[in-house]
Amino acid sequence: MDDVHDITSQGTPDPDELIATARAMIPDLRARAAQCEAERRIPEETIQTLHSSGLFKVLKPQQYGGYQMGWDLFGE
């Protein structure tokens, strides 16, 4: 996934940057949709992409290494 980069090493990202990162993932997620359905689970590549993108940290409290952002951002 060339458009998605590891933003987790840059401190707390800007919410707009997280949204842009998530949107950049859409083509790859769509490409893996059939695999996801066939395997009845999320492909490991998708999990790794979500980790490296920092999206798993959006709701996590800062004291545990997260960004401690709101549900509104996570939903968007």
Side-chain angles (χ1 to χ4, degrees):
M1 179 175 291
D2 296 331
D3 295 337
V4 177
H5 57 282
D6 186 348
I7 59 175
T8 61
S9 62
Q10 302 170 5
T12 302
D14 180 82
D16 291 333
E17 186 177 11
L18 284 168
I19 292 168
T21 298
R23 287 185 176 144
M25 292 173 57
I26 292 171
D28 285 338
L29 294 175
R30 284 188 177 140
R32 289 191 208 115
Q35 176 187 359
C36 186
E37 289 293 324
E39 294 179 1
R40 298 180 54 111
R41 65 181 200 82
I42 299 172
E44 186 60 34
E45 299 88 358
T46 299
I47 298 296
Q48 292 302 318
T49 300
L50 289 166
H51 274 291
S52 67
S53 70
L55 294 175
F56 279 153
K57 291 180 160 190
V58 171
L59 297 174
K60 185 189 259 187
Q62 286 179 335
Q63 69 185 27
Y64 298 112
Y67 303 143
Q68 195 167 329
M69 297 178 173
W71 281 98
D72 55 336
L73 174 68
F74 186 74
E76 191 173 339

Coordinates of all heavy atoms in Angstrom, one line a residue:
M1 N 0.8 -1.2 0.0 CA 0.0 0.0 0.0 C 0.9 1.2 0.0 O 1.4 1.6 1.0 CB -0.9 0.0 1.2 CG -1.8 1.1 1.3 SD -3.0 1.0 2.7 CE -4.0 -0.3 2.1
D2 N 1.1 1.8 -1.1 CA 2.0 2.9 -1.3 C 1.5 4.2 -0.7 O 2.3 5.0 -0.2 CB 2.3 3.1 -2.8 CG 3.0 2.0 -3.4 OD1 3.7 1.2 -2.6 OD2 2.9 1.7 -4.6
D3 N 0.2 4.5 -0.7 CA -0.3 5.7 -0.2 C -0.5 5.8 1.3 O -0.6 6.9 1.8 CB -1.7 6.0 -0.9 CG -1.7 6.2 -2.4 OD1 -0.6 6.5 -2.9 OD2 -2.7 5.9 -3.0
V4 N -0.4 4.7 1.9 CA -0.5 4.7 3.4 C 0.8 4.5 4.0 O 1.6 3.6 3.6 CB -1.5 3.5 3.9 CG1 -1.5 3.5 5.4 CG2 -2.8 3.7 3.3
H5 N 1.2 5.5 4.9 CA 2.5 5.4 5.5 C 2.4 5.3 7.0 O 1.3 5.5 7.5 CB 3.3 6.6 5.1 CG 2.7 7.9 5.4 ND1 1.6 8.5 4.7 CD2 2.9 8.7 6.5 CE1 1.3 9.6 5.3 NE2 2.0 9.8 6.4
D6 N 3.5 4.9 7.6 CA 3.5 4.8 9.1 C 3.5 6.1 9.7 O 4.6 6.8 9.7 CB 4.7 3.9 9.5 CG 4.7 3.5 10.9 OD1 3.9 4.1 11.7 OD2 5.5 2.7 11.3
I7 N 2.4 6.5 10.3 CA 2.4 7.8 11.0 C 2.5 7.7 12.5 O 2.5 8.6 13.2 CB 1.1 8.6 10.7 CG1 -0.1 7.8 11.1 CG2 1.0 9.0 9.2 CD1 -1.4 8.6 10.9
T8 N 2.7 6.4 12.9 CA 2.8 6.2 14.4 C 4.1 6.7 15.0 O 4.1 6.9 16.2 CB 2.6 4.7 14.7 OG1 3.6 3.9 14.0 CG2 1.2 4.2 14.2
S9 N 5.1 6.8 14.2 CA 6.4 7.2 14.7 C 6.5 8.8 14.8 O 7.5 9.3 15.3 CB 7.5 6.7 13.9 OG 7.4 7.2 12.6
Q10 N 5.5 9.5 14.4 CA 5.6 10.9 14.4 C 4.8 11.6 15.5 O 4.4 12.7 15.4 CB 5.0 11.4 13.0 CG 5.7 10.9 11.8 CD 5.0 11.2 10.5 OE1 4.0 11.9 10.5 NE2 5.5 10.7 9.5
G11 N 4.5 10.9 16.6 CA 3.7 11.4 17.7 C 2.3 11.3 17.4 O 1.8 10.5 16.6
T12 N 1.5 12.2 18.0 CA 0.0 12.2 17.7 C -0.3 12.9 16.4 O 0.0 14.1 16.3 CB -0.7 12.9 18.9 OG1 -0.4 12.2 20.1 CG2 -2.2 12.8 18.7
P13 N -0.9 12.2 15.5 CA -1.2 12.8 14.2 C -2.3 13.7 14.2 O -3.2 13.7 15.2 CB -1.5 11.5 13.3 CG -2.0 10.5 14.2 CD -1.2 10.8 15.5
D14 N -2.4 14.5 13.3 CA -3.6 15.4 13.1 C -4.8 14.6 12.7 O -4.6 13.7 11.9 CB -3.2 16.5 12.0 CG -4.3 17.4 11.7 OD1 -4.4 18.4 12.5 OD2 -5.0 17.2 10.7
P15 N -6.0 14.9 13.2 CA -7.2 14.2 12.8 C -7.4 14.1 11.3 O -7.7 13.0 10.7 CB -8.3 14.9 13.5 CG -7.7 15.5 14.7 CD -6.3 15.9 14.2
D16 N -7.1 15.2 10.6 CA -7.3 15.2 9.1 C -6.3 14.2 8.5 O -6.6 13.6 7.4 CB -7.1 16.6 8.5 CG -8.2 17.5 8.9 OD1 -9.3 17.0 9.1 OD2 -7.9 18.7 9.0
E17 N -5.1 14.1 9.0 CA -4.1 13.1 8.5 C -4.6 11.7 8.7 O -4.5 10.8 7.8 CB -2.8 13.3 9.2 CG -1.7 12.5 8.6 CD -0.3 12.7 9.3 OE1 -0.3 13.4 10.3 OE2 0.7 12.2 8.7
L18 N -5.2 11.4 9.8 CA -5.8 10.1 10.1 C -6.9 9.7 9.1 O -7.0 8.6 8.6 CB -6.3 9.9 11.5 CG -5.2 9.8 12.6 CD1 -5.8 10.0 14.0 CD2 -4.5 8.4 12.5
I19 N -7.8 10.7 8.9 CA -8.9 10.5 7.9 C -8.3 10.3 6.5 O -8.8 9.4 5.8 CB -9.8 11.7 8.0 CG1 -10.6 11.7 9.3 CG2 -10.8 11.6 6.8 CD1 -11.3 13.0 9.6
A20 N -7.3 11.0 6.1 CA -6.7 10.9 4.8 C -6.1 9.5 4.7 O -6.1 8.8 3.6 CB -5.7 12.0 4.5
T21 N -5.4 9.0 5.7 CA -4.8 7.7 5.8 C -5.9 6.6 5.6 O -5.7 5.7 4.8 CB -4.0 7.5 7.1 OG1 -3.0 8.5 7.1 CG2 -3.4 6.1 7.1
A22 N -7.0 6.8 6.3 CA -8.0 5.8 6.2 C -8.6 5.8 4.8 O -8.9 4.7 4.2 CB -9.1 6.1 7.2
R23 N -8.8 6.9 4.2 CA -9.4 7.0 2.9 C -8.4 6.4 1.8 O -8.9 5.8 0.9 CB -9.7 8.4 2.5 CG -11.0 8.9 3.2 CD -11.4 10.3 2.8 NE -12.6 10.6 3.5 CZ -12.9 11.8 4.0 NH1 -12.1 12.8 3.7 NH2 -14.1 12.0 4.6
A24 N -7.1 6.5 2.1 CA -6.2 6.0 1.1 C -6.2 4.5 1.2 O -5.7 3.8 0.2 CB -4.8 6.5 1.5
M25 N -6.7 3.9 2.3 CA -6.7 2.4 2.4 C -7.9 1.8 1.6 O -7.9 0.6 1.4 CB -6.9 2.1 3.9 CG -5.7 2.4 4.7 SD -6.0 2.1 6.5 CE -6.5 0.4 6.5
I26 N -8.9 2.6 1.2 CA -10.1 2.1 0.6 C -9.8 1.1 -0.6 O -10.4 0.0 -0.6 CB -11.1 3.2 0.3 CG1 -11.6 3.8 1.6 CG2 -12.2 2.7 -0.6 CD1 -12.4 5.1 1.4
P27 N -9.0 1.5 -1.5 CA -8.8 0.6 -2.7 C -8.3 -0.7 -2.3 O -8.7 -1.8 -2.8 CB -7.8 1.4 -3.6 CG -8.0 2.8 -3.2 CD -8.3 2.8 -1.7
D28 N -7.3 -0.8 -1.4 CA -6.8 -2.1 -0.9 C -7.8 -2.9 -0.2 O -7.8 -4.1 -0.3 CB -5.5 -1.9 -0.1 CG -4.3 -1.5 -1.0 OD1 -4.3 -1.8 -2.2 OD2 -3.4 -0.9 -0.4
L29 N -8.6 -2.2 0.7 CA -9.6 -2.9 1.4 C -10.7 -3.5 0.4 O -11.1 -4.7 0.6 CB -10.3 -2.0 2.4 CG -9.4 -1.5 3.5 CD1 -10.2 -0.5 4.4 CD2 -8.9 -2.6 4.4
R30 N -11.0 -2.8 -0.6 CA -12.0 -3.3 -1.6 C -11.3 -4.5 -2.3 O -12.0 -5.4 -2.6 CB -12.4 -2.2 -2.5 CG -13.4 -1.2 -1.9 CD -13.9 -0.3 -3.0 NE -14.9 0.6 -2.3 CZ -15.1 1.8 -2.6 NH1 -14.3 2.5 -3.4 NH2 -16.0 2.5 -1.9
A31 N -10.1 -4.4 -2.6 CA -9.4 -5.4 -3.3 C -9.3 -6.7 -2.5 O -9.3 -7.8 -3.1 CB -8.0 -5.0 -3.7
R32 N -9.3 -6.6 -1.2 CA -9.3 -7.8 -0.3 C -10.6 -8.2 0.2 O -10.8 -9.2 0.9 CB -8.4 -7.5 0.9 CG -6.9 -7.4 0.6 CD -6.1 -7.4 1.9 NE -4.9 -6.6 1.6 CZ -4.6 -5.5 2.2 NH1 -5.4 -4.9 3.1 NH2 -3.5 -4.9 1.9
A33 N -11.7 -7.6 -0.3 CA -13.0 -7.9 0.2 C -13.4 -9.4 -0.1 O -14.0 -10.0 0.8 CB -14.1 -7.0 -0.4
A34 N -13.2 -9.8 -1.3 CA -13.5 -11.2 -1.6 C -12.7 -12.2 -0.7 O -13.3 -13.2 -0.3 CB -13.3 -11.5 -3.1
Q35 N -11.5 -11.9 -0.5 CA -10.6 -12.8 0.3 C -11.2 -12.8 1.7 O -11.3 -13.8 2.4 CB -9.2 -12.3 0.3 CG -8.3 -13.0 1.3 CD -6.9 -12.4 1.4 OE1 -6.6 -11.4 0.8 NE2 -6.1 -13.0 2.2
C36 N -11.6 -11.6 2.2 CA -12.1 -11.5 3.6 C -13.4 -12.4 3.7 O -13.6 -13.1 4.7 CB -12.4 -10.0 3.9 SG -13.0 -9.7 5.5
E37 N -14.3 -12.3 2.7 CA -15.5 -13.1 2.7 C -15.2 -14.6 2.6 O -15.8 -15.3 3.4 CB -16.4 -12.6 1.6 CG -17.0 -11.3 1.7 CD -18.0 -11.2 2.9 OE1 -18.8 -12.2 3.1 OE2 -18.1 -10.2 3.5
A38 N -14.3 -14.9 1.8 CA -14.0 -16.3 1.6 C -13.4 -17.0 2.8 O -13.7 -18.1 3.2 CB -13.0 -16.5 0.4
E39 N -12.5 -16.2 3.5 CA -11.8 -16.7 4.7 C -12.6 -16.5 5.9 O -12.3 -17.0 7.0 CB -10.4 -16.1 4.8 CG -9.5 -16.4 3.7 CD -8.1 -15.7 3.8 OE1 -7.9 -15.0 4.8 OE2 -7.3 -16.0 2.9
R40 N -13.6 -15.7 5.8 CA -14.5 -15.3 7.0 C -13.7 -14.7 8.1 O -14.0 -15.0 9.3 CB -15.3 -16.6 7.4 CG -16.2 -17.1 6.4 CD -17.0 -18.3 6.8 NE -17.7 -18.0 8.1 CZ -19.0 -17.9 8.2 NH1 -19.8 -18.1 7.1 NH2 -19.6 -17.7 9.4
R41 N -12.7 -13.9 7.7 CA -11.9 -13.2 8.7 C -11.2 -12.1 8.0 O -11.1 -12.1 6.8 CB -10.9 -14.1 9.4 CG -9.8 -14.7 8.5 CD -8.8 -15.6 9.3 NE -7.6 -15.7 8.6 CZ -6.6 -14.9 8.6 NH1 -6.6 -13.8 9.4 NH2 -5.5 -15.1 8.0
I42 N -10.7 -11.1 8.7 CA -9.9 -10.0 8.2 C -8.5 -10.5 7.8 O -7.8 -11.1 8.6 CB -9.8 -8.9 9.2 CG1 -11.2 -8.4 9.5 CG2 -8.9 -7.8 8.6 CD1 -11.2 -7.3 10.6
P43 N -8.1 -10.3 6.5 CA -6.8 -10.8 6.1 C -5.6 -10.1 7.0 O -5.8 -9.0 7.4 CB -6.7 -10.3 4.7 CG -8.1 -10.2 4.2 CD -8.8 -9.7 5.4
E44 N -4.6 -10.9 7.2 CA -3.5 -10.4 8.0 C -2.9 -9.1 7.4 O -2.4 -8.2 8.2 CB -2.4 -11.5 8.1 CG -1.2 -11.1 9.0 CD -1.6 -10.9 10.4 OE1 -2.6 -11.6 10.9 OE2 -1.0 -10.0 11.1
E45 N -2.9 -9.0 6.1 CA -2.3 -7.8 5.5 C -3.1 -6.5 5.9 O -2.6 -5.5 6.1 CB -2.4 -7.9 3.9 CG -1.6 -9.0 3.3 CD -2.3 -10.3 3.2 OE1 -3.5 -10.4 3.7 OE2 -1.7 -11.3 2.8
T46 N -4.4 -6.7 6.1 CA -5.3 -5.6 6.5 C -5.0 -5.2 7.9 O -4.9 -4.1 8.3 CB -6.8 -6.0 6.3 OG1 -7.0 -6.2 4.9 CG2 -7.7 -4.8 6.8
I47 N -4.8 -6.2 8.8 CA -4.5 -6.0 10.2 C -3.2 -5.2 10.3 O -3.1 -4.2 11.0 CB -4.5 -7.3 11.0 CG1 -5.8 -8.0 11.0 CG2 -4.0 -7.1 12.4 CD1 -6.9 -7.2 11.6
Q48 N -2.2 -5.7 9.5 CA -0.9 -5.0 9.6 C -1.0 -3.5 9.1 O -0.4 -2.6 9.7 CB 0.1 -5.8 8.7 CG 0.5 -7.1 9.3 CD 1.1 -7.0 10.7 OE1 1.9 -6.1 11.0 NE2 0.6 -7.9 11.6
T49 N -1.8 -3.3 8.1 CA -2.0 -2.0 7.5 C -2.7 -1.1 8.6 O -2.3 0.1 8.8 CB -2.8 -2.0 6.2 OG1 -2.1 -2.8 5.3 CG2 -3.0 -0.6 5.7
L50 N -3.7 -1.6 9.3 CA -4.4 -0.9 10.3 C -3.4 -0.5 11.5 O -3.4 0.6 12.0 CB -5.6 -1.6 10.8 CG -6.7 -1.7 9.8 CD1 -7.7 -2.8 10.3 CD2 -7.4 -0.4 9.7
H51 N -2.6 -1.5 11.8 CA -1.6 -1.2 12.9 C -0.6 -0.1 12.4 O -0.4 0.9 13.2 CB -0.8 -2.4 13.2 CG -1.4 -3.3 14.3 ND1 -1.6 -2.9 15.6 CD2 -2.0 -4.5 14.1 CE1 -2.2 -3.9 16.2 NE2 -2.5 -4.9 15.4
S52 N 0.0 -0.2 11.3 CA 1.0 0.7 10.8 C 0.4 2.1 10.5 O 1.1 3.1 10.7 CB 1.8 0.2 9.6 OG 0.9 0.1 8.5
S53 N -0.9 2.2 10.2 CA -1.5 3.4 9.9 C -1.8 4.2 11.2 O -2.1 5.4 11.1 CB -2.8 3.2 9.1 OG -3.8 2.6 10.0
G54 N -1.9 3.5 12.3 CA -2.2 4.2 13.6 C -3.7 4.2 13.9 O -4.1 4.8 14.9
L55 N -4.5 3.7 13.0 CA -5.9 3.8 13.2 C -6.4 3.0 14.4 O -7.4 3.3 15.0 CB -6.7 3.3 11.9 CG -6.5 4.2 10.7 CD1 -7.1 3.6 9.5 CD2 -7.0 5.6 11.0
F56 N -5.7 1.9 14.8 CA -6.1 1.2 16.0 C -5.8 2.0 17.3 O -6.3 1.7 18.4 CB -5.3 -0.1 16.1 CG -5.8 -1.2 15.3 CD1 -5.0 -2.2 14.9 CD2 -7.1 -1.3 15.0 CE1 -5.4 -3.3 14.1 CE2 -7.6 -2.4 14.2 CZ -6.8 -3.4 13.8
K57 N -5.1 3.1 17.2 CA -4.7 3.9 18.3 C -5.7 5.1 18.5 O -5.6 5.8 19.5 CB -3.3 4.5 18.2 CG -2.2 3.5 18.3 CD -0.9 4.2 18.1 CE 0.2 3.4 18.6 NZ 1.4 4.1 18.7
V58 N -6.6 5.3 17.6 CA -7.5 6.5 17.7 C -8.2 6.6 19.0 O -8.2 7.7 19.7 CB -8.5 6.5 16.5 CG1 -9.5 7.6 16.7 CG2 -7.7 6.8 15.2
L59 N -8.9 5.5 19.5 CA -9.6 5.6 20.7 C -8.9 5.2 22.0 O -9.3 5.4 23.1 CB -10.9 4.6 20.6 CG -11.8 5.0 19.5 CD1 -12.9 4.0 19.3 CD2 -12.5 6.4 19.8
K60 N -7.7 4.6 21.8 CA -6.9 4.1 22.9 C -6.4 5.3 23.8 O -5.9 6.3 23.2 CB -5.7 3.3 22.4 CG -4.8 2.7 23.5 CD -3.6 2.1 22.9 CE -3.6 0.7 22.7 NZ -2.3 0.1 22.2
P61 N -6.5 5.2 25.1 CA -6.0 6.3 26.0 C -4.5 6.6 25.8 O -3.8 5.6 25.5 CB -6.3 5.8 27.4 CG -7.4 4.8 27.2 CD -7.2 4.1 25.9
Q62 N -4.2 7.8 26.0 CA -2.8 8.2 25.8 C -1.9 7.4 26.8 O -0.7 7.1 26.5 CB -2.6 9.7 26.0 CG -3.1 10.5 24.8 CD -2.9 12.0 25.1 OE1 -2.9 12.5 26.2 NE2 -2.8 12.7 24.0
Q63 N -2.4 7.2 28.0 CA -1.5 6.5 29.0 C -1.2 5.1 28.6 O -0.2 4.5 29.1 CB -2.2 6.5 30.4 CG -3.4 5.6 30.4 CD -4.1 5.7 31.8 OE1 -4.0 6.7 32.5 NE2 -4.8 4.7 32.2
Y64 N -1.9 4.6 27.5 CA -1.5 3.2 27.0 C -1.0 3.3 25.6 O -1.0 2.3 24.9 CB -2.8 2.3 27.0 CG -3.3 2.1 28.4 CD1 -4.5 2.7 28.8 CD2 -2.6 1.4 29.4 CE1 -5.0 2.5 30.1 CE2 -3.1 1.2 30.7 CZ -4.3 1.8 31.0 OH -4.8 1.6 32.3
G65 N -0.5 4.5 25.2 CA 0.1 4.6 23.9 C -0.8 5.0 22.8 O -0.4 5.0 21.6
G66 N -2.0 5.4 23.1 CA -2.9 5.8 22.0 C -3.0 7.3 21.8 O -2.3 8.1 22.4
Y67 N -3.9 7.7 20.9 CA -4.1 9.1 20.6 C -5.2 9.7 21.4 O -5.4 10.9 21.4 CB -4.4 9.2 19.1 CG -3.4 8.6 18.2 CD1 -3.7 8.0 17.0 CD2 -2.0 8.7 18.5 CE1 -2.8 7.4 16.2 CE2 -1.1 8.2 17.7 CZ -1.5 7.5 16.5 OH -0.5 7.0 15.7
Q68 N -6.1 8.9 22.0 CA -7.2 9.4 22.9 C -8.0 10.4 22.2 O -8.3 11.5 22.7 CB -6.6 9.9 24.2 CG -7.7 10.1 25.3 CD -7.1 10.4 26.6 OE1 -6.0 9.9 27.0 NE2 -7.8 11.1 27.4
M69 N -8.5 10.1 21.0 CA -9.4 10.9 20.2 C -10.8 10.4 20.3 O -11.1 9.3 20.9 CB -8.9 11.0 18.8 CG -7.6 11.6 18.6 SD -7.0 11.6 16.9 CE -5.5 12.5 17.0
G70 N -11.8 11.1 19.8 CA -13.2 10.8 20.1 C -13.8 9.8 19.1 O -13.2 9.5 18.0
W71 N -15.0 9.4 19.4 CA -15.7 8.5 18.6 C -16.1 9.1 17.3 O -16.3 8.5 16.3 CB -17.0 8.0 19.3 CG -16.7 6.9 20.3 CD1 -16.5 7.0 21.7 CD2 -16.5 5.5 20.0 NE1 -16.2 5.8 22.2 CE2 -16.2 4.8 21.2 CE3 -16.5 4.7 18.9 CZ2 -16.0 3.5 21.3 CZ3 -16.3 3.4 19.0 CH2 -16.0 2.8 20.2
D72 N -16.3 10.4 17.3 CA -16.7 11.1 16.1 C -15.6 11.0 15.0 O -15.9 10.7 13.9 CB -17.0 12.6 16.4 CG -15.9 13.3 17.1 OD1 -15.1 12.7 17.8 OD2 -15.8 14.6 16.9
L73 N -14.3 11.1 15.4 CA -13.2 11.0 14.5 C -13.1 9.5 14.0 O -13.0 9.2 12.8 CB -11.9 11.4 15.1 CG -10.7 11.1 14.2 CD1 -10.7 12.0 13.0 CD2 -9.4 11.4 15.0
F74 N -13.3 8.6 15.0 CA -13.2 7.2 14.7 C -14.3 6.8 13.6 O -14.0 6.1 12.7 CB -13.3 6.4 15.9 CG -13.1 4.9 15.7 CD1 -11.8 4.4 15.5 CD2 -14.1 4.0 15.8 CE1 -11.6 3.0 15.3 CE2 -13.9 2.6 15.6 CZ -12.7 2.2 15.4
G75 N -15.5 7.3 13.8 CA -16.6 7.0 12.9 C -16.4 7.6 11.6 O -16.8 7.0 10.5
E76 N -15.8 8.8 11.5 CA -15.6 9.4 10.2 C -14.5 8.7 9.4 O -14.6 8.5 8.2 CB -15.1 10.9 10.4 CG -15.2 11.7 9.2 CD -14.9 13.2 9.4 OE1 -15.1 13.6 10.5 OE2 -14.5 13.8 8.4

